[in-house]
Amino acid sequence: SNLIGNLNLSYRIWKGLSFKSNFGYGKSDMDQKRLTPKTALDPGLATSLSNSLFAYNVNNTYSIEPQLDYTTSLYKGTLSAMIGSTWQHSVSKQPSYISASDFSSDEFLENIGSAKTVSISRSTSEYKYSSIFGRLNYNWAGKYILNGSFRRDGSSRFAQNSRFGNFGSIGAAWIISEESFLKSVPFLSFAKLRTSYGWVGNDKIADYGYFDSYRSNSYVYNGIPSLVPARLA
């Protein structure tokens, strides 16, 4: 099941200046079951054991995006400015993950008590993201456009000493179809030349991806359970 909620509020403070904010909430949960009967496995392998997996996942996401916009006339053009921020928080939980194997009969695949081997685990993953950003745009005489933007983003998916990044862009455009020497061209309705330069980034990596992680192992050394590497940072 999946629930998505969104609320947009805006308020005009005075002429040319307005404030708006977006509030979001999402919740999704999934109940999973996978049954593998012994009749579907290779009978020639000793490891061909009937097995079942049962898992439940739930995810909650909250977000707030306030923004302030300002527009005014300046000389022969229009100046517009915007400043805003984003805050997002997600919590993903797997309250139960049950793996059962070696059932006495395929008829009992949904009865965990009939399995000879059962393992139970659970996990929680948290993600936080925040940013502040701004944009400045000047359109002179409806022909010449200059714009610049800047943002600073932070993500919990990176280590603390490199959690924030700065990104920005600058650009210019010339609407040449507004020039008098092109207005008489019958087949040309709109033409614009544009150039820009900027740098961007993303945090599309796993949660806690900056950590070395380990998992437990069945091997025992001097009576002590062991750990093995599960992921490199």
Side-chain angles (χ1 to χ4, degrees), residues 11-19 68-73 78-81:
Y11 180 73
R12 184 182 178 187
I13 302 173
W14 64 71
K15 184 180 179 180
L17 181 64
S18 62
F19 172 81
L68 195 65
D69 293 276
Y70 179 66
T71 303
T72 185
S73 298
T78 301
L79 177 68
S80 61

Side-chain angles (χ1 to χ4, degrees), residues 58-71:
V58 60
N59 182 75
N60 287 280
T61 301
Y62 312 85
S63 65
I64 303 175
E65 297 178 309
Q67 186 174 309
L68 195 65
D69 293 276
Y70 179 66
T71 303

Side-chain angles (χ1 to χ4, degrees), residues 5-180:
N6 192 272
L7 175 66
N8 287 281
L9 297 177
S10 62
Y11 180 73
R12 184 182 178 187
I13 302 173
W14 64 71
K15 184 180 179 180
L17 181 64
S18 62
F19 172 81
K20 64 181 179 180
S21 186
N22 178 53
F23 304 87
Y25 171 72
K27 180 181 180 181
S28 62
D29 64 297
M30 180 166 57
D31 198 6
Q32 303 174 80
K33 175 176 65 176
R34 189 187 76 188
L35 309 178
T36 307
K38 195 169 184 177
T39 53
L41 302 172
D42 185 352
L45 298 177
T47 56
S48 295
L49 302 176
S50 56
N51 60 83
S52 300
L53 289 176
F54 303 91
Y56 178 71
N57 302 77
V58 60
N59 182 75
N60 287 280
T61 301
Y62 312 85
S63 65
I64 303 175
E65 297 178 309
Q67 186 174 309
L68 195 65
D69 293 276
Y70 179 66
T71 303
T72 185
S73 298
L74 182 64
Y75 189 48
K76 294 183 179 181
T78 301
L79 177 68
S80 61
M82 180 271 290
I83 186 170
S85 65
T86 299
W87 176 83
Q88 182 180 330
H89 184 200
S90 298
V91 179
S92 300
K93 293 183 178 181
Q94 190 176 68
S96 65
Y97 182 88
I98 303 172
S99 175
S101 63
D102 198 3
F103 289 83
S104 57
S105 169
D106 285 348
E107 301 296 325
F108 302 136
L109 287 177
E110 296 190 54
N111 185 352
I112 300 174
S114 300
K116 292 183 180 180
T117 303
V118 177
S119 65
I120 302 175
S121 63
R122 57 181 58 88
S123 64
T124 300
S125 178
E126 190 173 10
Y127 168 64
K128 292 182 179 181
Y129 169 83
S130 63
S131 71
I132 183 170
F133 49 86
R135 183 178 67 240
L136 196 64
N137 181 283
Y138 183 64
N139 187 324
W140 184 43
K143 302 178 185 179
Y144 316 108
I145 303 171
L146 291 174
N147 58 65
S149 67
F150 176 81
R151 63 184 299 131
R152 179 171 174 82
D153 298 276
S155 171
S156 63
R157 289 174 174 166
F158 298 104
Q160 290 187 1
N161 59 352
S162 58
R163 189 154 285 176
F164 289 87
N166 299 318
F167 310 96
S169 68
I170 54 175
W174 176 25
I175 304 178
I176 58 176
S177 55
E178 290 297 315
E179 299 292 350
S180 57

